Amino acid sequence: MTWIDDDAFGPQHPFGPQTLAYGLVDEGLAVRVGNQALPLAELNLGERLEPLVKAENLNPLLAAGRIAWSELRARLTEIVTASGAPAGARLVSLSTAKLPFAVGDYVDYYSSRNHAENVGRMFRPDAAPLLPNWTHLPVGYHGRSGTVVGSGTPVVRPKGQRKAPDAAEPSYGPSTRLDIEAEIGFVCGGPVTSEVRTRNAAEHIFGVAVVNDWSARDIQAWEYVPLGPYLGKSFATSIGKWITPLDAFSAARVPVPEQPNTLLDYLVSEEPSGLDIRLEVQWNGTIVARPPFAEMNWSFDQQLAHMTVNGATVRPGDLFASGTVSGKNKEERGSFLELSWGGKEPIELADGSTRTFLEDGDTIVITGWAPGPDGSVVGLSEVTGTIRPAA
Ligand code: CA
């Protein structure tokens, strides 16, 4: 028994001692223990770590780099598994948690072959579903960090310009094809640098979170040629409020499915860097998809190497997302565009209603977990969002 006298805190709980996700509550930076939070500011962590955890957000810790991250995780493991309560330890509510870091640059990838092919078939029905570059590089674009929001933030239906295929002219108004993208996000840290090698990528990845990259398909379909996604994506991106450290995924590493062609040297992973994370998407309480992250075709180390290979830097607080996670089977697709096949195949919810795209008042919850050491489960913090009518 540890001093944390709570049935919800043990290896069988997704936020047991094997996870130790970081967040920010009213009492300051904290680590999640079961269904409560342990604030860090009053703990005896030593001179090097204490200033980092007394900061107003995670960014100084992100900047401190992997040696500090490992030291803090080891110390917190001792603290949460001690039999007596260590000095300064008290448990507080999770309810005041907020987005725990200032988001720097945001990049969105497109790393599921299943998703890319599905979208290709719908958006470009007369061409090959996969464009020729896709198997040679992780396709991505720079997104908008200012609208990355914490889980629970309502999402206002975006307005914009769209044109139906049979319409003569574009029109302006609220999106009628509002969608989700179930993704995994990577929170960056360590020294500012460029040309990160795949073997050094983990030095710059602090942690992992579930992301919902809300997408207005009608706006996107009209605007995206030739420069890619723009206003159909930039209105909101939601992220889980507790960041699970990359170190917690040691038992979840899997090889990434091989590309059909030889990769350029800078994209070759030396170790398995896929992550066996299982996602679950709930639409108004009905589970509509279980996307498997292990099937993603590009991994975080390849994505970070690619992002910085031209001399661009990675900085503490930068965030990149994997791209929509879609498996081979229909019930594994991580967007409603794919689940409803462009709106042609409605999805039935538990209350008997049907949906193709999001309606005002709808609530989406995306959860995630991965296998942990010794049969335990490593949790990712859920991402929720409810759609508000267009302003
Ligand atoms: Ca996306």
Side-chain angles (χ1 to χ4, degrees):
M1 264 320 265
T2 87
W3 64 276
I4 301 174
D5 184 18
D6 181 345
D7 290 342
F9 186 68
Q12 78 292 344
H13 191 280
F15 292 95
Q18 70 282 5
T19 302
L20 300 182
Y22 293 98
L24 178 63
V25 292
D26 280 356
E27 293 81 2
L29 291 175
V31 70
R32 183 165 171 178
V33 291
N35 297 323
Q36 301 179 81
L38 171 64
L40 303 179
E42 311 276 305
L43 298 174
N44 178 10
L45 300 170
E47 332 190 303
R48 217 162 77 84
L49 296 174
E50 283 172 13
L52 300 175
V53 303
K54 287 176 179 159
E56 66 174 12
N57 60 26
L58 280 174
N59 290 60
L61 178 63
L62 299 181
R66 179 147 288 285
I67 292 172
W69 306 338
S70 300
E71 199 179 314
L72 179 58
R73 184 169 165 82
R75 181 72 188 113
L76 290 175
T77 302
E78 285 174 7
I79 286 175
V80 300
T81 55
S83 52
R90 66 187 173 120
L91 299 178
V92 301
S93 168
L94 294 176
S95 64
T96 62
K98 59 212 87 174
L99 182 66
F101 66 106
V103 184
D105 289 319
Y106 170 51
V107 164
D108 187 22
Y109 278 103
Y110 194 55
S111 292
S112 159
R113 182 171 180 142
N114 299 315
H115 173 72
E117 288 185 338
N118 286 339
V119 173
R121 286 187 189 103
M122 283 181 268
F123 277 35
R124 297 182 303 275
D126 302 324
L130 213 57
L131 293 169
N133 60 1
W134 197 92
T135 61
H136 292 272
L137 56 84
V139 169
Y141 68 96
H142 285 95
R144 190 165 191 86
S145 56
T147 44
V148 174
V149 297
S151 172
T153 307
V155 173
V156 176
R157 182 178 298 274
K159 291 179 287 193
Q161 187 180 139
R162 61 272 158 94
K163 184 178 135 356
D166 51 354
E169 297 291 334
S171 62
Y172 170 83
S175 171
T176 59
R177 288 163 77 88
L178 184 56
D179 196 358
I180 67 154
E181 292 189 336
E183 307 196 18
I184 290 293
F186 295 91
V187 179
C188 299
V192 177
T193 190
S194 63
E195 296 185 64
V196 176
R197 304 300 178 97
T198 53
R199 67 173 174 275
N200 295 334
E203 303 296 313
H204 297 277
I205 304 292
F206 173 79
V208 182
V210 179
V211 166
N212 184 349
D213 187 30
W214 307 92
S215 299
R217 300 301 181 192
D218 42 358
I219 297 170
Q220 181 186 354
W222 170 232
E223 76 179 358
Y224 89 109
V225 181
L227 288 184
Y230 188 36
L231 303 180
K233 300 280 191 170
S234 60
F235 56 94
T237 303
S238 300
I239 180 171
K241 290 189 286 198
W242 294 89
I243 311 300
T244 303
L246 184 64
D247 283 342
F249 295 91
S250 57
R253 293 288 189 113
V254 289
V256 170
E258 278 192 27
Q259 299 291 356
N261 42 261
T262 303
L263 297 179
L264 291 169
D265 285 346
Y266 79 94
L267 287 171
V268 174
S269 296
E270 293 180 8
E271 291 173 8
S273 48
L275 298 175
D276 183 13
I277 298 172
R278 331 282 172 90
L279 294 172
E280 189 174 274
V281 180
Q282 290 176 36
W283 196 340
N284 295 346
T286 303
I287 297 168
V288 294
R290 290 194 171 91
F293 191 72
E295 289 185 28
M296 297 299 277
N297 303 78
W298 295 101
S299 52
F300 69 84
D301 57 333
Q302 295 171 313
Q303 290 167 333
L304 187 56
H306 187 64
M307 190 195 304
T308 58
V309 74
N310 65 345
T313 54
V314 57
R315 299 177 299 173
D318 285 357
L319 170 69
F320 64 92
S322 59
T324 308
V325 183
S326 288
K328 290 181 186 65
N329 303 316
K330 180 169 181 179
E331 66 277 9
E332 296 175 329
R333 296 172 185 163
S335 72
F336 302 150
L337 176 74
E338 295 165 271
L339 279 170
S340 74
W341 206 252
K344 295 191 187 88
E345 300 172 19
I347 300 148
E348 188 169 337
L349 305 184
D351 65 2
S353 63
T354 58
R355 292 287 189 286
T356 50
F357 294 97
L358 287 158
E359 294 186 4
D360 293 343
D362 282 358
T363 296
I364 299 300
V365 180
I366 308 176
T367 55
W369 64 275
D374 305 317
S376 64
V377 169
V378 169
L380 289 101
S381 184
E382 67 173 24
V383 175
T384 75
T386 297
I387 306 304
R388 294 259 174 92

